[in-house]
Amino acid sequence: MFSKKMSEERKKAELKISGMTCAMCATTIEKSLLSQEGVADAQVNLGNETAVVEYDSAKSKLADLEKAVTDAGYDVINDKVVLKIGGMTCAMCVKTIEDTINRLDGISSVTVNLSAEKAYITYNPKMATVADMKRAIEDAGYLYLGVVGEETEDLEEVARERDLREKRNRFIVGFSVGIPLMILMRVPVADFPFSMAYFMLVVSAPAFIYVSHPIFRAAYRALKNRNLNMDVMYSMGIGVAFVSSLLATSGILTEEFLFYDTALILASFLTIGRYMEARAKGRTSEAIKKLVGLQSKTATVIRDNREMKIPLEDVQIDDIVVVKPGDKIPVDGEVVGGESYVDESMITGEPIPTLKSKGDNVIGGTLNKNGVIRFQATKIGRDTVLSQIILLVEEAQGSRPPVQRIADKAVSYFIPVVLTIAILSFVVWYFIIGNTLLFALTALISVLVIACPCALGLATPTAVTVGVGRGAELGVLIKNGEALEISEKLTTIVFDKTGTLTRGKPEVTDIITIGTDDSELLRLVASVEKNSQHPLAEAIMRRAQGIELEESEGFDTFGGKGVTAKVEGKEVLIGNRILFKERNISYQEIEEKIVQLEEEGKTVILIAIDNVVGGIIAIADTLKERTKEAIEEFKEMKFNVVMITGDNARTANAVAEQIGIQNVLAEVLPRDKANEVKKLQERGAVVAFVGDGINDAPALAQADVGIAIGSGTDIAIESGEIVLIKDDLIDAVAAVQLGRKVMSRIKLNIFWAFAYNAALIPVAAGILYPFFGITFKPELAGLAMAMSSVTVVTLSLMLKRYVPPAKRAKKTKGGDEYGDRSGM
């Protein structure tokens, strides 16, 4: 590890930098670094692209140094790692781990997701290692379960099962002893052979130690790391209850202060709450587990002219892989032999298997149905579509939408405030109002055990984890939590036309003949156009598939006007109006039809045979099957829908009219699309841009939310916060609906967490006692606390069954594609 203490606070950091081209670059970076407070020396080496910085860690952090480099216009190259962590129970555990890892040298950023139980860390590999992080996590008292992506799933599952088993055993023992003791305390027993106090001490002490040991241990850990968390509060509550019982047993206090049963039941309530919470949290990341489960463990490849089964990680690029019926396709590739139907529903959400034959692409993780296929591996390991999807989903689940800042801020103040309320309630009731010590102590214990920061800490990450996972199941990949939050504020949806609303591939739409039939005209035209590379010629050739073509002679082109050739001795002329006027060929009798087709946004080509007009063929970039339906859905959701295109205004308006779009931006060059989006934003619109993710990259990046559609086998698109796997515009609607649903669930969770604490903490402190004589028994306070976080997680889990209305409409029209799901 490259980090050396120069003094108590002086440190040395080595940064790897990209983007330097000359000595001036090095000078610029040095100046930027030296301008930072606390930087004593900065030396940039252009040759190995590094900067060695000596700095005072009390005045500057590593993140400040990296910002100085990026502000100068260069990039710092860091490594990223996702660690699996066990033993976290509440938002304060998250803070403890983040603070612990941040204290290591070389850490740029740390984000811990409580529900996914993962830490997303960006670090300088010259200064920090995963081993350092492992040691820090374990020193803080948590379980290090390995690096995501390594073969640690079994270890993680074993640790989780062991933790659940221990919690279950503890609360069973706690309730088995605590409930009978509670009954014994409240039912008069005549001639009891022992002192009740000593009997309860002997019976409860072993059980109390067994059940509460993890709580006190976690509290000690938190205090050791200078953190106040829920375990500290709860330990104080049950500790006060048990100590007062000991004082009553020894005769210092009266028997009214015997809280042995209460202490034990309170510890059991916390344990059962955490047991239920841990089980529920395990289900929030089921989507990732399903995706990981799609990965094949082995592959059959052809080497040395024979088939051999090898581990998946041994497959190489260009290997020929053989897949038999019923087997999973192990990696991505291109079919070189055989044909078969392949079920891709687990990746694309499309339920109908796709026929794959020579030249088609196959995706790792999909299921071969009925034939044997051989394919050449093109992507392996982390580069496969499935691996990229898993990576995107995991990163998104670890992201924090801005709304979480509310909860994070609240949690940071929560425990000091609750401790203050607990102490004040005791002081007010006992010293000021003059109520009994028993009453004041009961209020103190109730406040300490009812307060629940866990519900606040879990409100956002559980909903994001489940929502992003659900999106992946529906073929919608949400890259970060911020996209979810913005989707709720969107006002305008901008669509690129070509390749998004339309297929992006011209097709023959109309054939109108004079004196011959459609197939004969098409045969003659295709026999000429097979010599041309023009996109319109390609459309004609696609339409003529299956027709036997003739050889042509004397093929010639007229730049931008048309082509001509002889077929079967006839001169066939194909072109536009200008060419026909130059050749004095009349087309008066079909002029009206030509104008009508052009007004529909179609390109019309004229055909003459031996200088006599023989017909016309109309070609257009046809609309995608569900374009109109998607636009209607967006309009029903009260969005301002805009189409942007490079086409001329007449063609653009014709297409827009077909699908019901009133706002059209025509004749916009690709490089100007981002500027048009910016103009909309300057007028106050919150914009989502829907495009193909490649040509539209600047506009996708400029928009508040970029939706890259139909990326299929290339989902690792930089631009676009939302990536749609399928080329289906309804998924764009579903993405926005899902984002809104997740945000509404996050708000419901946060409201519930705030409302629970705001309503019940004052009741536990005794605020209703002077007016209605109502108090909160500690046992009920403990039960309410246990249920609060379970309720939040359960509300988030309901998202697993959510089907966006746009998808439900598809289910109704096209069969039960998504199963029996509710709209919760």
Side-chain angles (χ1 to χ4, degrees):
M1 184 172 106
F2 190 99
S3 177
K4 187 171 88 176
K5 295 268 182 175
M6 308 305 293
S7 67
E8 196 59 36
E9 301 294 344
R10 187 70 62 88
K11 292 181 180 176
K12 191 181 272 189
E14 183 176 327
L15 308 177
K16 184 75 175 170
I17 298 170
S18 68
M20 291 192 291
T21 55
C22 65
M24 279 306 296
C25 297
T27 306
T28 303
I29 293 169
E30 283 177 358
K31 282 181 180 175
S32 183
L33 286 166
L34 288 167
S35 69
Q36 289 291 306
E37 187 183 4
V39 173
D41 186 38
Q43 293 181 8
V44 177
N45 185 319
L46 181 62
N48 59 16
E49 295 186 305
T50 60
V52 178
V53 188
E54 200 176 303
Y55 67 105
D56 185 341
S57 62
K59 295 179 180 177
S60 281
K61 303 296 179 195
L62 182 66
D64 298 326
L65 306 183
E66 291 177 355
K67 188 174 184 301
V69 174
T70 54
D71 286 349
Y74 304 89
D75 291 319
V76 177
I77 301 172
N78 280 323
D79 279 1
K80 290 186 177 181
V81 68
V82 183
L83 304 181
K84 292 181 276 194
I85 299 169
M88 292 189 290
T89 55
C90 70
M92 293 310 295
C93 297
V94 170
K95 188 175 185 307
T96 300
I97 291 171
E98 287 180 346
D99 290 349
T100 300
I101 296 174
N102 267 321
R103 281 197 284 268
L104 294 173
D105 292 341
I107 301 298
S108 182
S109 69
V110 184
T111 303
V112 175
N113 184 305
L114 177 59
S115 67
E117 297 186 306
K118 288 172 185 163
Y120 301 80
I121 302 164
T122 304
Y123 69 102
N124 184 332
K126 298 275 188 182
M127 301 172 67
T129 66
V130 172
D132 299 329
M133 300 170 207
K134 174 179 183 285
R135 196 158 45 246
I137 290 164
E138 289 176 341
D139 287 348
Y142 297 91
L143 293 172
Y144 170 83
L145 298 172
V147 177
V148 169
E150 294 181 355
E151 295 299 319
T152 57
E153 293 300 326
D154 292 341
L155 174 65
E156 185 181 4
E157 197 57 38
V158 167
R160 182 172 282 114
E161 287 300 323
R162 185 175 63 243
D163 180 55
L164 286 171
R165 192 167 55 249
E166 285 179 2
K167 283 185 170 72
R168 187 193 62 212
N169 292 344
R170 289 182 199 279
F171 77 70
I172 287 173
V173 168
F175 285 127
S176 299
V177 176
I179 291 171
L181 285 181
M182 181 181 284
I183 294 167
L184 199 60
M185 282 286 291
R186 282 151 183 76
V187 177
V189 180
D191 302 323
F192 196 72
F194 313 105
S195 161
M196 180 65 77
Y198 282 105
F199 173 76
M200 294 188 80
L201 170 61
V202 170
V203 172
S204 67
F208 180 75
I209 291 167
Y210 176 63
V211 177
S212 66
H213 171 65
I215 304 168
F216 283 107
R217 185 179 60 205
Y220 168 73
R221 224 165 43 202
L223 291 171
K224 184 182 163 192
N225 286 290
R226 300 190 298 282
N227 278 315
L228 287 174
N229 67 2
M230 188 172 167
D231 291 293
V232 173
M233 275 196 317
Y234 216 85
S235 296
M236 288 173 68
I238 59 177
V240 166
F242 201 82
V243 169
S244 67
S245 303
L246 289 174
L247 294 173
T249 304
S250 62
I252 297 170
L253 296 173
T254 65
E255 286 200 354
E256 288 178 314
F257 290 88
L258 286 175
F259 286 122
Y260 288 121
D261 56 331
T262 302
L264 189 49
I265 285 172
L266 285 176
S268 303
F269 271 137
L270 179 63
T271 307
I272 194 173
R274 286 184 172 170
Y275 171 79
M276 293 166 71
E277 186 186 308
R279 282 193 64 178
K281 273 197 312 192
R283 291 173 57 209
T284 62
S285 52
E286 274 180 7
I288 280 288
K289 288 174 187 169
K290 281 182 190 172
L291 288 169
V292 171
L294 294 176
Q295 293 175 316
S296 179
K297 299 281 190 260
T298 60
T300 302
V301 299
I302 296 175
R303 288 184 183 168
D304 300 326
N305 293 321
R306 63 188 182 91
E307 290 183 13
M308 59 173 68
K309 188 173 277 192
I310 60 172
L312 182 65
E313 53 269 23
D314 291 347
V315 177
Q316 302 294 316
I317 297 281
D318 294 335
D319 268 345
I320 301 299
V321 183
V322 180
V323 188
K324 294 175 182 173
D327 288 348
K328 285 178 184 174
I329 290 169
V331 295
D332 298 355
E334 183 180 315
V335 177
V336 295
E339 65 175 34
S340 178
Y341 281 94
V342 175
D343 179 3
E344 297 182 327
S345 60
M346 61 289 293
I347 301 291
T348 65
E350 187 59 55
I352 301 166
T354 309
L355 180 64
K356 300 290 183 181
S357 55
K358 189 172 181 178
D360 291 332
N361 291 322
V362 289
I363 304 171
T366 55
L367 186 66
N368 184 28
K369 299 292 282 185
N370 63 330
V372 178
I373 53 173
R374 288 179 294 115
F375 70 89
Q376 187 173 27
T378 56
K379 290 181 181 176
I380 59 172
R382 294 190 175 188
D383 295 327
T384 64
V385 170
L386 183 57
S387 294
Q388 290 292 318
I389 289 173
I390 291 169
L391 183 66
L392 273 182
V393 172
E394 284 184 332
E395 285 183 354
Q397 288 180 337
S399 65
R400 289 180 177 175
V403 72
Q404 190 172 341
R405 292 175 198 149
I406 301 168
D408 288 345
K409 199 161 187 69
V411 167
S412 66
Y413 293 112
F414 186 86
I415 292 170
V417 169
V418 170
L419 287 173
T420 304
I421 292 170
I423 293 164
L424 276 176
S425 67
F426 180 83
V427 169
V428 168
W429 284 118
Y430 187 62
F431 292 105
I432 298 174
I433 295 176
N435 216 313
T436 64
L437 179 61
L438 177 64
F439 184 90
L441 205 58
T442 302
L444 171 73
I445 294 168
S446 294
V447 171
L448 288 172
V449 299
I450 203 168
C452 187
C454 294
L456 276 171
L458 289 164
T460 302
T462 53
V464 169
T465 300
V466 178
V468 168
R470 181 67 185 130
E473 291 173 352
L474 295 169
V476 175
L477 301 179
I478 299 161
K479 285 184 166 184
N480 56 57
E482 194 169 351
L484 291 169
E485 187 158 341
I486 296 172
S487 67
E488 190 189 36
K489 301 170 185 171
L490 291 174
T491 60
T492 304
I493 310 287
V494 179
F495 288 95
D496 178 50
K497 181 182 85 73
T498 307
T500 302
L501 296 171
T502 63
R503 297 184 190 279
K505 188 191 288 185
E507 300 288 348
V508 172
T509 58
D510 303 85
I511 300 175
I512 295 164
T513 59
I514 300 170
T516 184
D517 60 29
D518 290 2
S519 59
E520 176 61 16
L521 183 71
L522 186 61
R523 185 179 71 86
L524 290 171
V525 171
S527 295
V528 175
E529 293 285 22
K530 70 181 181 180
N531 301 295
S532 172
Q533 300 299 315
H534 195 280
L536 298 182
E538 290 174 5
I540 289 168
M541 294 308 297
R542 280 193 294 274
R543 181 64 177 264
Q545 276 182 353
I547 296 175
E548 192 173 334
L549 304 180
E550 301 297 327
E551 289 299 319
S552 61
E553 299 172 356
F555 179 81
D556 195 11
T557 63
F558 306 93
K561 300 173 191 173
V563 296
T564 186
K566 279 196 171 182
V567 180
E568 297 177 334
K570 300 172 184 174
E571 185 182 353
V572 181
L573 181 72
I574 306 162
N576 57 21
R577 282 193 182 92
I578 298 169
L579 181 62
F580 272 53
K581 283 175 182 173
E582 286 178 358
R583 302 289 287 263
N584 293 317
I585 300 171
S586 172
Y587 53 87
Q588 194 71 36
E589 58 188 297
I590 52 171
E591 172 77 27
E592 192 177 322
K593 191 65 181 174
I594 292 170
V595 171
Q596 180 192 330
L597 290 168
E598 285 181 337
E599 284 175 349
E600 292 173 9
K602 297 171 183 176
T603 300
V604 179
I605 58 172
L606 290 72
I607 300 106
I609 299 165
D610 290 334
N611 289 322
V612 177
V613 68
I616 56 176
I617 293 177
I619 297 172
D621 186 0
T622 54
L623 291 169
K624 288 179 183 174
E625 187 182 346
R626 306 187 69 199
T627 293
K628 194 170 182 180
E629 187 185 337
I631 300 302
E632 284 171 1
E633 289 272 3
F634 274 127
K635 287 169 80 174
E636 278 179 26
M637 293 163 70
K638 309 298 183 193
F639 284 114
N640 174 32
V641 181
V642 179
M643 184 180 87
I644 192 166
T645 177
D647 290 349
N648 64 66
R650 187 167 71 175
T651 303
N653 285 320
V655 173
E657 193 175 334
Q658 287 180 56
I659 54 180
I661 293 179
Q662 279 77 44
N663 302 314
V664 179
L665 300 171
E667 299 177 27
V668 180
L669 296 172
R671 64 174 179 269
D672 294 329
K673 288 178 183 176
N675 289 333
E676 293 297 333
V677 171
K678 192 174 182 181
K679 286 177 189 174
L680 288 168
Q681 290 169 326
E682 286 169 352
R683 293 201 292 268
V686 182
V687 181
F689 186 92
V690 186
D692 63 15
I694 301 160
N695 303 324
D696 304 319
L700 284 164
Q702 175 63 45
D704 297 285
V705 175
I707 302 176
I709 185 169
S711 42
T713 57
D714 185 22
I715 58 89
I717 293 173
E718 290 301 319
S719 299
E721 287 76 22
I722 297 174
V723 177
L724 309 180
I725 298 174
K726 263 196 308 182
D727 192 1
D728 186 347
L729 273 178
I730 282 294
D731 285 352
V733 184
V736 174
Q737 290 172 340
L738 177 65
R740 289 180 160 192
K741 186 68 178 180
V742 173
M743 281 310 300
S744 71
R745 191 52 48 92
I746 287 172
K747 287 179 178 177
L748 178 62
N749 284 349
I750 289 176
F751 169 78
W752 166 259
F754 273 119
Y756 159 82
N757 284 296
L760 295 189
I761 289 174
V763 175
I767 199 167
L768 297 180
Y769 184 72
F771 310 104
F772 307 105
I774 295 173
T775 59
F776 224 142
K777 286 185 177 295
E779 298 92 324
L780 292 176
L783 175 62
M785 179 281 306
M787 289 300 102
S788 64
S789 51
V790 173
T791 302
V792 164
V793 178
T794 304
L795 285 170
S796 294
L797 282 172
M798 288 167 72
L799 288 169
K800 284 165 66 69
R801 295 180 59 80
Y802 175 70
V803 178
K807 291 282 194 180
R808 290 207 292 277
K810 181 174 181 179
K811 170 183 159 181
T812 306
K813 291 172 187 173
D816 190 9
E817 181 178 342
Y818 297 101
D820 182 19
R821 310 260 186 175
S822 73
M824 290 175 174

